[in-house]
Amino acid sequence: EWAAAGYVVLHYQARGWFNSEGLIEVAGPADVADASAVLDEVGKRAAEWRADAEAIGMVGVSYGGGLALLGAAHDARVKCAASLSGWGNLTRALAGQAAPNQVWFDILMSTSILVGRPDPQIHAMWESLVSAVVDPAANVDPLLAWAEERSPEAFAAKMCGRRLPVLVSNNAQDELFVSDAALMLRQTLHGAGCRVQLLLNQGVHAMAELPSLAGIGGLVAHQPVWDETLRFMQAHLRPSKEPPPAGPQQGEVGHHPPSRPAIRFQLRSPEGIFVAPRFVSYDRWPPREQEAVSLRLGQPLLGGGAAGGGGATGGEV
């Protein structure tokens, strides 16, 4: 589909996974250097592949989503980037609200051992995190430094200094990279000057992306995340070309411009992935429809006191 739209698509395996050399470093500096090496290869073979080396975008899912943003942050040859079910802040993913994310660690370690070779440093950093929760006096500086250089948010100034267009797509029931963190990433990048489009889909980790990626999209209702990703690439890499069809857009409600809305939330459906998705869209966040309300405690609306046994407490707006 992407080739038919005029794209040269290059897929590579991150270091340590499957047959790729090296160790899994969780999107560390070596992974970022690998991404730039891939772009070097594109430049060398652009004529052979009939590729435009001045119009490069990076797209990744999950682990690759974080790598896409980090690669774009460190290499200005990337003109736009899409992170699908990725992360923005690794510290937040590891231990949001100071609670270690056991789900994150178990998934990473089990899959990396099954189909790759994890760096022993990963387990050491996890042990450091757990120890810090038990002992507040523990030194977490090495852990924070390790996580920060793997966090796209830490490089917002580098990305947004050149107003990099970014697409962020995450899923509402994802316990690995939670949807609140996606909104925080969007706000951080938008505030730093990036042009950000955010999709929040229903489903668990990578569920909106994987069916079509695995070639089994026909088994479930059409999910528009890949349509939106291709449209995003067209808009920023080939703006003179006609954008691709957007796919089903039933029931789109909310305040949004005639182009692509800045934020789209998929509405929950009892039928889940077996019915066409519906979205609510906004051109800004917080949305225009949101109203700020201030409350302050007042006198009880109903008789209270020792004899009355309490009652509803009123407030003033």
Side-chain angles (χ1 to χ4, degrees):
E1 181 181 353
W2 285 49
Y7 287 85
V8 175
V9 180
L10 175 59
H11 169 267
Y12 76 97
Q13 293 175 348
R15 65 171 48 232
W17 293 97
F18 298 97
N19 296 322
S20 191
E21 298 176 353
L23 299 176
I24 297 170
E25 298 184 2
V26 193
D31 288 291
V32 173
D34 289 343
S36 287
V38 169
L39 299 187
D40 292 341
E41 189 67 18
V42 171
K44 293 175 185 176
R45 306 183 67 172
E48 175 189 350
W49 292 343
R50 292 185 291 178
D52 183 356
E54 299 299 317
I56 295 176
M58 292 190 73
V59 182
V61 178
S62 188
Y63 192 92
L67 270 178
L69 294 186
L70 288 166
H74 291 280
D75 199 315
R77 289 176 291 182
V78 180
K79 299 302 188 292
C80 61
S83 172
L84 313 180
S85 286
W87 71 91
N89 184 306
L90 196 57
T91 304
R92 191 181 299 132
L94 282 168
Q97 300 180 347
N101 189 337
Q102 191 69 47
V103 172
W104 185 96
F105 182 72
D106 288 345
I107 290 177
L108 175 62
M109 292 307 297
S110 60
T111 54
S112 63
I113 291 172
L114 182 64
V115 296
R117 298 167 304 283
D119 188 331
Q121 188 182 35
I122 298 174
H123 196 277
M125 288 298 168
W126 179 255
E127 291 298 321
S128 173
L129 173 63
V130 173
S131 298
V133 173
V134 176
D135 178 14
N139 180 19
V140 295
D141 290 344
L143 169 65
L144 295 177
W146 180 86
E148 183 174 14
E149 68 179 354
R150 292 162 170 80
S151 298
E153 281 185 17
F155 304 100
K158 293 187 68 171
M159 280 189 278
C160 304
R162 64 182 200 269
R163 290 186 54 78
L164 181 78
V166 176
L167 171 66
V168 176
S169 176
N170 285 77
N171 301 327
Q173 288 80 37
D174 192 341
E175 294 185 6
L176 189 56
F177 304 129
V178 299
S179 54
D180 282 356
L183 273 168
M184 294 178 191
L185 172 61
R186 187 266 171 189
Q187 296 297 83
T188 298
L189 296 180
H190 176 72
C194 282
R195 292 167 286 173
V196 190
Q197 182 181 343
L198 172 66
L199 303 176
L200 282 180
N201 316 286
Q202 292 299 314
V204 296
H205 184 66
M207 180 53 67
E209 299 88 1
L210 286 182
S212 294
L213 194 63
I216 57 172
L219 300 180
V220 298
H222 180 81
Q223 298 294 317
V225 61
W226 287 109
D227 291 334
E228 288 294 331
T229 304
L230 182 55
R231 179 182 288 273
F232 170 81
M233 291 288 164
Q234 293 279 69
H236 298 291
L237 297 180
R238 310 177 73 213
S240 61
K241 303 295 182 180
E242 186 70 20
Q249 303 283 330
Q250 292 126 328
E252 192 95 22
V253 296
H255 182 86
H256 56 88
S259 58
R260 306 314 295 162
I263 299 177
R264 301 178 72 210
F265 295 96
Q266 183 178 343
L267 300 176
R268 185 187 295 272
S269 170
E271 293 83 6
I273 62 175
F274 299 103
V275 297
R278 299 175 65 244
F279 294 85
V280 57
S281 300
Y282 302 98
D283 66 349
R284 56 179 288 177
W285 192 260
R288 300 178 190 276
E289 292 84 351
Q290 177 175 305
E291 295 182 3
V293 177
S294 298
L295 301 176
R296 85 180 158 83
L297 296 177
Q299 296 300 316
L301 295 177
L302 300 177
T313 301
E316 295 184 5
V317 178

